[in-house]
């Protein structure tokens, strides 16, 4: 993955799809009791959504004021039951306003990640549930950038080099990259503790959808909101008549 330069809030989402939890979790599921959200230097917000049969359940963990310098394993206020066939998606928001080139996914602190390290019981074989845009979709994206945007893309180069050859990152190019990540098929790493994948077809899969999202949280008590509305209406009336 890559994050374009000059972005105030660029989103990236990683998926743990129902097919993976279906083969990797026991019949009775697991209980998640702790979570460590993780990005590197440009991450500013992270959260993990949880759904079952396309219906969203309460958020598993969320930090809208994230700092890589203050990341910790957080004991959840309520343990979360994750069953085979459940769907998890972790979204990270990045700020790259001070960057001149793309920030690439990788292990260095100057690279980026989007991870939720979940702590749970009982122990299972499932060690890693990680997604990436499919190889074919990424190849087609680079071909497009070379043919139509005249970028110095090389089909023999690794993705990192090709991402870094795209510049400057105009709003249109950043929007095209975002569309690649949100609309393209994905490749899954549904891995056991020994590093081997579970049996299955993990390439070119569609991104699952949450058909019934959670209702928006009330950020203010309805009675207080009613009083605020009255005060605002009075202020508008007063200012209008004062003029």
């Amino acid at each position: 993955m890559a994050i374009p330069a000059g972005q105030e809030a660029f989103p990236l989402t990683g998926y743990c799809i129902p097919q993976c939890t279906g083969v990797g979790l026991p019949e009775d599921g697991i209980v998640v009791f702790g979570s460590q959200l993780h990005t590197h230097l440009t991450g500013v917000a992270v959260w993990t959504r949880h759904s079952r049969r396309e219906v969203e359940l309460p958020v598993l963990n969320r930090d809208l004021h994230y700092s890589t310098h203050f990341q910790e394993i957080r004991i959840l206020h309520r343990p979360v039951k994750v069953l085979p066939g459940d769907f998890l998606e972790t979204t990270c928001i990045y700020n790259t306003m001070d960057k001149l080139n793309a920030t690439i996914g990788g292990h260095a602190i100057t690279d980026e990640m989007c991870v939720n390290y979940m702590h749970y019981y009982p122990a299972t074989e499932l060690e890693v549930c990680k997604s990436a845009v499919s190889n074919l979709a990424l190849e087609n994206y680079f071909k497009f950038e070379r043919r139509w945007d005249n970028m110095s893309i090389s089909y023999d180069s690794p993705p990192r080099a090709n991402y870094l050859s795209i510049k400057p990152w105009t709003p249109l190019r950043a929007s095209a990259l975002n569309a690649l990540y949100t609309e393209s098929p994905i490749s899954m790493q549904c891995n056991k503790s020994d590093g081997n994948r579970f049996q299955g077809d993990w390439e070119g899969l569609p991104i699952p959808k949450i058909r019934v999202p959670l209702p928006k949280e009330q950020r203010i008590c309805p009675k207080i909101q009613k009083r605020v509305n009255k005060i605002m209406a009075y202020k508008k009336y007063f200012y209008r008549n004062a003029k």
Side-chain angles (χ1 to χ4, degrees):
M1 56 96 154
I3 304 150
Q7 302 300 301
E8 186 175 8
F10 190 85
L12 281 174
T13 299
Y15 307 98
C16 185
I17 62 176
Q19 296 94 310
C20 185
T21 61
V23 298
L25 299 184
E27 184 177 352
D28 293 333
I30 58 173
V31 177
V32 179
F33 62 87
S35 164
Q36 180 186 358
L37 304 174
H38 175 71
T39 78
H40 290 175
L41 297 176
T42 64
V44 294
V46 190
W47 62 85
T48 296
R49 299 172 74 189
H50 177 205
S51 67
R52 183 172 299 148
R53 293 188 290 275
E54 301 183 340
V55 177
E56 186 172 12
L57 304 174
V59 66
L60 193 143
N61 196 4
R62 174 174 53 200
D63 187 345
L64 300 183
H65 304 279
Y66 177 86
S67 168
T68 192
H69 304 296
F70 188 69
Q71 51 181 301
E72 58 184 355
I73 300 170
R74 298 180 182 179
I75 302 301
L76 303 183
H77 293 299
R78 53 168 193 85
V80 176
K81 187 86 167 183
V82 180
L83 297 176
D86 281 7
F87 173 46
L88 300 166
E89 60 172 52
T90 297
T91 298
C92 298
I93 305 297
Y94 302 93
N95 184 309
T96 58
M97 292 298 290
D98 61 341
K99 305 296 181 184
L100 298 177
N101 212 333
T103 301
I104 314 300
H107 294 286
I109 191 66
T110 50
D111 294 333
E112 264 305 346
M113 289 186 174
C114 182
V115 182
N116 185 350
Y117 296 106
M118 298 195 300
H119 300 258
Y120 65 88
Y121 63 86
T124 74
E125 285 192 282
L126 182 59
E127 176 83 8
V128 175
C129 192
K130 181 171 68 173
S131 71
V133 64
S134 73
N135 290 331
L136 179 59
L138 189 58
E139 288 173 8
N140 289 334
Y141 169 75
F142 287 140
K143 288 178 181 177
F144 174 86
E145 284 297 327
R146 175 174 173 170
R147 181 176 181 182
W148 298 105
D149 228 357
N150 202 29
M151 296 290 107
S152 56
I153 301 292
S154 171
Y155 301 144
D156 296 325
S157 297
R160 172 182 287 268
N162 284 332
Y163 276 131
L164 292 175
S165 70
I166 300 174
K167 51 190 174 184
W169 280 99
T170 63
L172 183 59
R173 287 177 186 146
S175 177
L177 186 63
N178 182 61
L180 171 76
Y181 293 143
T182 57
E183 299 174 12
S184 298
I186 56 176
S187 169
M188 287 296 306
Q189 289 188 30
C190 184
N191 295 359
K192 302 178 183 179
S193 300
D194 61 8
N196 292 316
R197 291 187 185 186
F198 282 90
Q199 186 175 1
D201 184 6
W202 304 113
E203 297 295 331
L205 301 173
I207 298 173
K209 302 295 183 184
I210 297 177
R211 305 292 181 184
V212 184
L214 282 174
K216 290 186 177 181
E217 292 182 1
Q218 285 278 357
R219 299 305 301 271
I220 190 169
C221 162
K223 288 185 178 180
I224 295 178
Q225 183 65 60
K226 190 175 181 180
R227 184 179 297 177
V228 169
N229 291 342
K230 285 185 176 180
I231 292 172
M232 294 304 295
Y234 172 78
K235 283 185 175 180
K236 288 181 180 179
Y237 174 80
F238 176 79
Y239 291 139
R240 186 168 58 247
N241 284 278
K243 290 180 180 179

